[in-house]
Amino acid sequence: MHHARQHAETRTRERRHRLAHEAARLMAEGGFRDYHQAKLKAAERLGIHDDASLPRNREIEDALREYQRLFVGQSQQQAVRVRRDAALRALEFFAGFSPRLVGSVLDGTADANSPVHLQLYTDDADAVPRFLEEHRIPADARARHLRLDRERSDDFPVWVFSAEELTFDVTVLPHDALRQAPLSGVDERPMKRASLAQLRQLLADEEIVGYELNASR
């Protein structure tokens, strides 16, 4: 009985591993942006339908990083850098809204199709669309459901616009959400986010690492 259980657990782990890597491939190559959708599509493709074999979002994210490192490499790193540079200018532009960079551009998994995700903080619901209109930036209105913490969740306004040949996706949150980031859909922990100063430091650190790597060759 013990041996049979061990065998079943090993098979489940192997299936989770296969599903995580197939979901990561779909996200890298197939344009999937949502972990859940990529996970379900991977399960459909591989013919795996038991819930125990479905990987966690964090497992898929780790597999995505590995896939990008092995198969995409320099072009993916360049896509991240271009978007981080653009995000820096966007954080300066939206300085009056205590802006933060979040998502794949910050965590380094962005690719050539990834939007730049920002969060702006204000208690005036009309402030951001008014600001965009004043600067003649056409934007599409959308909504996003986020959990602010374990007890509070809601739909929040999102504005999507293009600049510098990139897509910017801006979520507007109440000012008190600055104290703690909304919970991530990946692992249910507070999202990683970066202020203007933190992003500047990140880019400076990358410059130093790049210089040191070039100098050692």
Side-chain angles (χ1 to χ4, degrees):
M1 179 71 82
H2 178 67
H3 179 73
R5 187 170 70 250
Q6 278 190 323
H7 179 68
E9 290 173 352
T10 299
R11 284 193 66 194
T12 298
R13 279 196 302 272
E14 290 173 348
R15 286 176 170 179
R16 286 171 70 100
H17 181 80
R18 287 174 60 204
L19 278 174
H21 282 263
E22 176 63 12
R25 188 188 69 78
L26 289 171
M27 294 186 77
E29 297 180 357
F32 282 81
R33 289 281 163 261
D34 182 87
Y35 284 94
H36 185 67
Q37 288 181 352
K39 187 189 309 186
L40 295 182
K41 187 63 176 180
E44 178 187 326
R45 288 196 173 190
L46 297 179
I48 299 173
H49 302 295
D50 60 303
D51 290 344
S53 297
L54 292 177
R56 293 186 178 92
N57 291 342
R58 181 62 68 190
E59 294 175 80
I60 298 173
E61 185 179 270
D62 290 343
L64 178 59
R65 290 181 188 278
E66 182 180 353
Y67 184 96
Q68 290 174 330
R69 180 178 59 82
L70 291 173
F71 300 109
V72 188
Q74 193 66 38
S75 64
Q76 190 265 333
Q77 293 172 19
Q78 180 64 21
V80 171
R81 180 60 197 234
V82 166
R83 282 157 178 76
R84 284 178 175 174
D85 286 341
L88 190 72
R89 292 185 285 275
L91 292 178
E92 292 172 340
F93 178 70
F94 287 114
F97 297 99
S98 305
R100 298 292 187 269
L101 173 65
V102 297
S104 61
V105 174
L106 177 59
D107 68 32
T109 60
D111 58 30
N113 299 308
S114 298
V116 179
H117 285 271
L118 303 178
Q119 290 178 353
L120 309 185
Y121 299 85
T122 177
D123 292 325
D124 180 354
D126 297 323
V128 172
R130 190 167 60 241
F131 183 80
L132 291 171
E133 187 175 340
E134 286 170 358
H135 288 84
R136 299 181 181 178
I137 299 174
D140 294 328
R142 301 181 188 175
R144 174 169 292 121
H145 192 80
L146 290 174
R147 295 181 65 193
L148 294 181
D149 51 41
R150 300 294 178 188
E151 285 77 38
R152 296 183 299 160
S153 67
D154 207 343
D155 292 326
F156 297 97
V158 174
W159 297 93
V160 179
F161 60 89
S162 296
E164 301 184 26
E165 298 184 353
L166 299 173
T167 299
F168 288 80
D169 179 302
V170 176
T171 304
V172 184
L173 297 170
H175 202 268
D176 68 358
L178 258 177
R179 289 179 294 183
Q180 176 179 297
L183 301 184
S184 168
V186 175
D187 57 13
E188 292 296 309
R189 296 176 181 176
M191 289 180 183
K192 293 178 181 177
R193 57 185 182 177
S195 65
L196 176 59
Q198 289 167 330
L199 181 57
R200 278 188 181 135
Q201 186 61 54
L202 176 62
L203 291 171
D205 291 344
E206 284 183 341
E207 288 283 352
I208 293 170
V209 170
Y211 177 80
E212 290 175 345
L213 283 173
N214 290 330
S216 65
R217 286 172 183 168

